[in-house]
């Protein structure tokens, strides 16, 4: 007898069920990292460099010793393991030995009996140092004569993707266009700043409580810095107040620092960051510089694309090589182009290291290429949406790396949906007093999961244990950070087992309970942990269904909402489980899912980059004040193909959040550096979008099924942010005729451009 | 936070206990600047004197000629006060622009003046309303024009332990408008702010006072601009002249919030809009 997975209708999948963690969070019951307390706990405070680059000569705590509660100073000499963070290129020391490379870098840690004393003691350390020459501009950093801070050329990583003969083809094109673009930092601005607590045990092992997206990265770092083997360190994820990529790699550094302190003192140690130090030292979205050229023939077909893309990586490489790779393979946009040349660089500067941020290297280059696509359409005299529809990838198309799109591609459908809903063909440009209102369009695609560059990490585990009373305990290796993973995974588990939703409890990630499931990034959790849960649930489902059939005396049973039916007879999930236990059936299982193979080769830049793609189309309705040049996004029309929606309400929330985060980056988030020093490390002067900036949303979904996805889902988390900025920029271009090639699009810059260039208004 | 936080309920109690308290002290009313500064590491003091519940500082009252606004009255309360609405319309108009609703529940006008920020919205509105500040040091009172207390960015002319008791605004019916540009829709420190108080009848300006924020080292009274407009009809020509004058009268800088040229230009734009709204 084989138990088939039902296709439709579903009891829980596809339903907008309430978030399983909503009540605890709303009522203040959830315990965040700073809510935890342990006997004899000490508090650590980071002592940071305030200069872009220094030689460390001596650090004295003589004055700090007078502070009541002061316990001691921790430096690199206290590291018992290896002083290299095991992350991609391993160039970041946990604590610098001779040289500090950016203002904000932790040089040492101060320990005290309370947080206030630790902070005060840290302020009393005396650092003897020598200022060293530094480089703060990535383009200058790449020049021959620049100060060298990494290798021979300050380049952390470089990729070349070549398809056809791009330069020759470009020469032959009737229409050619070139643009240079620049984007600034973006700060993750998670509500909860970085926090970790290290609790040593008497046997020398250690438990780490960490606010993190990636407990296994924390495990790797803590084991490296302490010299402890994997099984002697346990990492437990605490309720995490936002991540957006900022809690991918960075919590490992914070936890490693707490672990050094705990190992030395034998006491629990808490390290929590204030907002200012979080700004100064934690990763950001990379600033970028790009030069893009497109060429099209007279029919409007894009024939060639040449791109140079540079990311300002900051002082250490962290995740830059991978961020750059994602940006590289998506750089030409979702278009079927025969001739492509993409060269990309991640470059070292003496500034805060940059890393993961929702979109992971794509938003910057998407801003450039989607802006230039609009400009090219203008040059040809074609409608920008029509031009896109003529060139976008469809089923059967090949990407720039030669990957054939063979399933689940709804891009043309969503472009048409947005075109229709936004009344694109009729809207034009409107004038209301001193305001001009116009629409701008942009579309994009997003490779779901880690892809070829992270193929060795693309696996996930799950453990399901069904108790005698019918309650279900689930351990997974991917985390909830506010995105709704717990709810979606609960729905998948409940659907597969046919148990009531409330019977399922997914535990916080504990690295001792589940195998390394890779990071919670790249919009991969639904697919990876979802599939791992289904893998674990399948044999349990067979046992449960078989038992239900036997109880109900039939070889055919229907199941829905936690009940099993034969005609009018029904039995509950709990009753069936009780019988399973009575029959001594195995009621726990492990699941393991590995992503399908990807063939991309860095040697020739060819092959399948990702297993599947999600797609987005966006039209931004933007209002511009023609005197102050302030911009307001009135409405965003967006449509997404993210496969089957497990929870439509949560998918919509991801869309709303992503759009607003993209809008903030596009219009006003502006982290300012001068001479290697961050000038506005706080929310008083770093403007973040608020609810008052929220546009009206008109969001649609097309559910193109992905065969290998759990219940045919793909992934959504990052996609909604990516193409917002170019849609806004294209709206401003359509309204004023000004081509803004720099993010954030500050009114100051638009006003300045309007003075120097002829500004026009294409009114209806 | 400091080792010592001492709370007071009357000025008498404050003056009595003051000599025994640590010398390195600051006065805490709403705390919306002080605590931010502390968190950013800009300021640290041994002792905070909590004056938020001193009753003399928490009054709004009137007599025949004046309205008195206690320095400790929360901005949110001022935004609901009928006396303020009637007699200090500039302040009433300013309150919704002032920071966020949560900050307005804590912030005070006294703190806004003492903090001496060039972008102080409340001070801008008070100065445009020709308010005087009432100061108190060990019971000795003095009053002076609001702007005379400001010496430069984050620098005030208050003597040590001199308390801002409140503000005195003359009762004179007029119209007012407050405008400011910030980097997002709401809740921001101004790039440029303007407050215009005027008595205008059939486009004839009988009296006017134009005050700006964020475009000079302190909140700034644009006297030349006001003098061009006073006793004039608000014709397009006179508005243009005033707009040109205000651009030359201010002295903005480029900083993390905006650019000098843009700020200068926007002073003219905001003045034109303010005059249009008020006329």
């Amino acid at each position: 007898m084989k138990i088939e997975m039902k296709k439709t209708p579903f009891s829980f999948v596809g339903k907008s069920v309430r978030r399983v963690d909503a009540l605890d969070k709303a009522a203040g019951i959830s315990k965040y990292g700073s809510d935890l307390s342990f006997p004899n706990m000490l508090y650590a405070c980071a002592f940071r460099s305030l200069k872009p680059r220094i030689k460390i000569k001596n650090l004295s705590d003589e004055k700090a010793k007078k502070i009541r509660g002061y316990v001691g100073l921790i430096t690199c000499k206290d590291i018992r393991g290896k002083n290299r963070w095991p992350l991609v290129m391993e160039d970041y020391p946990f604590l610098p030995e001779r040289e500090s490379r950016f203002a904000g870098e932790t040089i040492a840690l101060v320990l005290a009996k309370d947080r206030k004393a630790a902070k005060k003691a840290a302020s009393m350390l005396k650092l003897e140092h020598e200022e060293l020459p530094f480089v703060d501009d990535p383009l200058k950093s790449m020049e021959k004569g620049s100060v060298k801070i990494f290798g021979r050329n300050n380049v952390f990583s470089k990729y070349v993707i070549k398809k056809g003969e791009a330069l020759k083809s470009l020469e032959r094109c009737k229409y050619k266009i070139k643009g240079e673009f620049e984007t600034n930092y973006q700060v993750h601005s998670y509500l909860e700043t970085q926090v970790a607590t290290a609790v040593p045990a008497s046997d020398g092992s250690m438990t780490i409580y960490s606010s993190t997206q990636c407990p296994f990265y924390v495990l790797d770092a803590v084991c490296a810095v302490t010299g402890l083997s994997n099984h002697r360190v346990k990492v437990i994820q605490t309720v995490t107040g936002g991540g957006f990529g900022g809690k991918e790699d960075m919590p490992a550094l914070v936890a490693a620092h707490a672990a050094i302190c705990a190992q030395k003192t034998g006491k629990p140690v808490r390290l929590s960051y204030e907002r200012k130090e979080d700004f100064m030292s934690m990763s950001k979205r990379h600033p970028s510089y790009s030069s893009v050229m497109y060429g099209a023939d007279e029919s409007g077909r894009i024939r060639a694309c040449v791109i140079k893309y540079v990311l300002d990586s900051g002082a250490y490489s962290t995740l830059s090589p991978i961020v750059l790779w994602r940006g590289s393979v998506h750089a030409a946009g979702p278009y079927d182009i025969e001739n492509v040349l993409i060269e990309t660089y991640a470059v070292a500067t003496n500034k805060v290291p940059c890393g993961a941020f929702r979109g992971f290297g794509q938003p910057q280059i998407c801003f450039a290429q989607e802006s230039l696509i609009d400009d090219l359409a203008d040059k040809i005299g074609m409608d920008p949406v029509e031009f896109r529809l003529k060139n976008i990838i469809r089923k059967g198309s090949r990407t720039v790396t030669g990957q054939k799109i063979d399933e689940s591609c709804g891009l043309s459908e969503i472009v048409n949906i947005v075109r229709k809903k936004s009344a694109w063909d009729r809207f034009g440009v409107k004038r209301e007093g001193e305001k001009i209102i116009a629409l701008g369009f942009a579309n994009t695609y997003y490779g779901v999961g880690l892809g070829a560059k992270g193929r060795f990490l693309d696996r996930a585990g799950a453990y399901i244990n069904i108790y005698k009373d019918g309650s279900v305990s689930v351990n997974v290796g991917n985390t909830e950070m506010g995105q709704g993973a717990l709810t979606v995974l609960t729905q998948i588990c409940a659907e597969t087992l046919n148990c009531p939703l409330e019977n399922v409890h997914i535990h916080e990630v504990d690295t001792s309970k589940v195998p390394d499931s890779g990071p919670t990034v790249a919009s991969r959790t639904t697919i990876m942990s979802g599939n791992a849960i289904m893998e674990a649930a399948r044999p349990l489902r067979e046992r449960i269904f078989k038992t239900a059939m036997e109880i109900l005396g039939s070889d055919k049973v229907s199941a829905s909402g936690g009940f099993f039916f034969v005609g009018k007879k029904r039995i509950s999930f709990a009753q069936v489980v009780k019988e399973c236990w009575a029959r001594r059936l195995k009621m726990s299982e492990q699941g393991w899912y590995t992503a399908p193979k990807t063939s991309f080769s860095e040697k020739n830049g060819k092959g399948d980059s990702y297993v599947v793609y999600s797609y987005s189309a966006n039209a931004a309705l933007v209002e511009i004040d023609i005197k102050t040049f302030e911009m307001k996004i009135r409405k965003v029309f967006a449509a997404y193909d993210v496969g089957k929606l497990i929870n439509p309400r949560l998918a919509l929330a991801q869309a709303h959040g992503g759009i607003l985060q993209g809008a903030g980056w596009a219009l006003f988030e502006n982290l300012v550096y001068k001479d290697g020093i961050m000038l506005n490390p706080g929310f008083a002067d770093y403007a973040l979008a608020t609810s008052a900036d929220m546009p009206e949303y008109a969001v649609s979904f097309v559910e193109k099924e992905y065969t290998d996805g759990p219940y045919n889902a793909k992934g959504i988390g990052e996609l909604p942010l990516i193409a917002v900025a170019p849609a806004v920029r294209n709206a401003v271009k359509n309204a004023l005729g000004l081509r803004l090639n720099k993010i954030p699009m500050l009114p100051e810059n638009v006003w300045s451009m309007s003075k120097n260039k002829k500004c026009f208004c294409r009114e209806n | 936070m400091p080792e010592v936080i001492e709370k007071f309920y009357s000025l008498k109690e404050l003056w009595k206990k003051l000599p025994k308290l640590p010398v390195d002290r600051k006065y805490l009313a709403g705390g919306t600047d002080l605590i931010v500064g502390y968190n950013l590491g800009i300021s640290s003091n041994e002792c905070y004197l909590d004056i938020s519940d001193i009753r003399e500082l928490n009054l709004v009252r009137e007599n025949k000629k004046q309205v008195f606004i206690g320095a400790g009255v929360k901005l949110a309360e001022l935004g609901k006060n009928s006396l303020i609405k009637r007699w200090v319309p500039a302040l009433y108009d300013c309150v919704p622009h002032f920071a966020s609703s949560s900050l307005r529940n804590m912030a005070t006008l006294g703190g806004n003046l003492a903090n001496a920020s060039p972008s102080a919205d409340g001070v801008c509105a008070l100065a445009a309303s020709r308010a005087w500040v009432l100061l108190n040091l060990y019971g000795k009172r003095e009053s002076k024009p609001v702007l005379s207390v400001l010496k430069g960015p984050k620098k005030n002319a208050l003597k040590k332990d001199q308390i801002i008791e409140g503000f005195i605004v003359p009762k004179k019916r007029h119209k007012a408008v407050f405008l400011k540009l910030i980097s997002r829709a709401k809740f921001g420190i101004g790039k440029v702010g303007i407050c215009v108080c005027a008595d205008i009848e059939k486009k004839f300006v009988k009296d006017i006072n134009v005050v700006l924020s964020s475009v000079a080292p302190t909140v700034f009274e644009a006297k030349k601009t006001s003098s061009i407009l006073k006793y004039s009809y608000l014709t397009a020509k006179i508005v243009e002249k005033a707009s040109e004058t205000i651009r030359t009268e201010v002295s903005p800088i480029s900083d993390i919030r905006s650019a000098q040229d843009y700020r200068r230009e926007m002073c003219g734009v905001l003045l034109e809009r303010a005059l249009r709204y008020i006329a």
Side-chain angles (χ1 to χ4, degrees), chain A residues 116 119-120 274 276 434-435 625-630 667-668 670 672 679-693 746-749 751-752 755, chain B residues 1-4 36 38-42 46 180-189 191 255-263 265-266 269-270 272-273 276-277:
Chain A
K116 202 163 128 187
K119 190 179 173 184
K120 193 159 188 181
E274 292 188 349
K276 184 182 176 182
E434 291 182 329
K435 306 278 166 65
D625 185 314
I626 57 167
K627 290 283 180 66
T628 65
F629 293 93
E630 291 173 295
L667 292 180
F668 41 73
N670 192 25
V672 184
L679 298 183
N680 51 340
F683 292 133
D685 286 315
Y686 180 82
L688 192 67
T690 72
S691 53
D693 299 287
L746 300 173
E748 286 81 352
N749 297 345
W751 170 74
S752 182
K755 282 196 308 176
Chain B
M1 291 290 281
E3 300 288 338
V4 182
V36 172
Y38 176 85
N39 286 338
L40 287 173
I42 296 166
E46 204 178 329
K180 80 170 179 180
L181 298 180
I182 57 175
S183 52
R184 57 186 169 197
K186 283 186 177 174
F187 324 131
I189 298 170
K191 296 175 176 184
D255 60 14
I256 50 174
R257 291 185 201 122
S258 192
Q260 185 181 43
D261 289 352
Y262 177 79
R263 280 177 155 145
E265 180 69 17
M266 290 308 118
V269 172
L270 292 191
E272 285 171 22
R273 284 187 182 173
R276 200 189 313 149
Y277 298 151

Side-chain angles (χ1 to χ4, degrees), chain A residues 73-297:
Chain A
L73 179 66
I74 304 290
T75 68
C76 60
K77 289 174 189 162
D78 297 301
I79 294 173
R80 292 190 198 167
K82 194 178 162 189
N83 191 14
R84 276 285 180 275
W85 182 2
L87 180 71
V88 193
M89 296 177 75
E90 302 199 14
D91 59 324
Y92 202 152
F94 287 112
L95 290 169
E97 289 163 18
R98 286 177 291 277
E99 184 180 313
S100 165
R101 293 190 179 168
F102 70 97
E105 182 173 5
T106 299
I107 291 177
L109 295 142
V110 170
L111 280 174
K113 287 181 180 169
D114 61 71
R115 197 174 164 191
K116 202 163 128 187
K119 190 179 173 184
K120 193 159 188 181
S123 73
M124 299 181 89
L125 296 186
K126 193 179 173 192
L127 176 71
E128 283 177 45
H129 67 276
E130 179 188 329
E131 287 190 37
L132 298 173
F134 65 91
V135 58
D136 60 357
D137 179 330
L139 300 181
K140 284 183 183 161
S141 180
M142 291 170 79
E143 289 172 4
K144 269 190 177 175
S146 74
V147 172
K148 292 290 173 282
I149 56 170
F150 182 85
R152 282 187 295 182
N153 56 5
N154 289 341
V155 173
F156 286 129
S157 56
K158 177 187 174 182
Y159 301 104
V160 177
I161 293 168
K162 201 174 170 188
K163 182 182 175 190
E165 293 291 341
L167 292 170
K168 281 184 188 169
S169 174
L170 196 66
E171 280 301 308
R172 291 195 295 268
C173 285
K174 182 174 180 187
Y175 300 103
K176 291 185 272 284
I177 195 155
K178 182 180 178 182
E180 294 192 348
F181 298 85
E182 200 179 320
T183 65
N184 199 5
Y185 290 95
Q186 187 173 23
V187 182
H188 300 90
S189 306
Y190 28 67
L191 274 176
E192 182 202 30
T193 53
Q194 301 280 356
V195 56
T197 308
V199 183
S202 54
D203 64 356
S205 64
M206 198 175 286
T207 302
I208 304 289
Y209 297 87
S210 172
S211 171
T212 179
Q213 294 175 228
C214 306
F216 295 96
Y217 284 8
V218 175
L219 179 73
D220 291 344
V222 170
C223 289
V225 82
T226 57
L228 295 171
S229 52
N230 283 187
H231 74 296
R232 286 168 64 75
V233 175
K234 180 160 77 170
V235 179
I236 296 173
Q237 186 219 3
T238 50
V239 177
T240 298
F244 309 109
K247 289 182 184 162
E248 177 172 352
D249 51 341
M250 289 293 139
L253 184 66
V254 180
H257 286 164
I260 303 167
C261 300
Q263 194 175 36
K264 182 166 184 192
T265 59
K267 291 182 178 177
V269 174
R270 156 87 42 80
L271 176 59
S272 60
Y273 280 11
E274 292 188 349
R275 185 63 69 178
K276 184 182 176 182
E277 57 184 339
D278 203 295
F279 257 77
M280 288 170 67
S281 64
M282 295 289 96
S283 68
K284 308 281 176 283
R285 186 186 300 290
H286 295 75
S288 78
Y289 302 82
S290 51
S291 167
V292 184
M293 287 187 276
Y294 280 112
D297 64 20

Side-chain angles (χ1 to χ4, degrees), chain B residues 213-226:
Chain B
S213 59
S214 305
V215 289
T218 64
V219 171
F220 173 77
E221 194 174 357
K223 288 180 181 168
K224 282 185 196 168
T225 305
S226 296

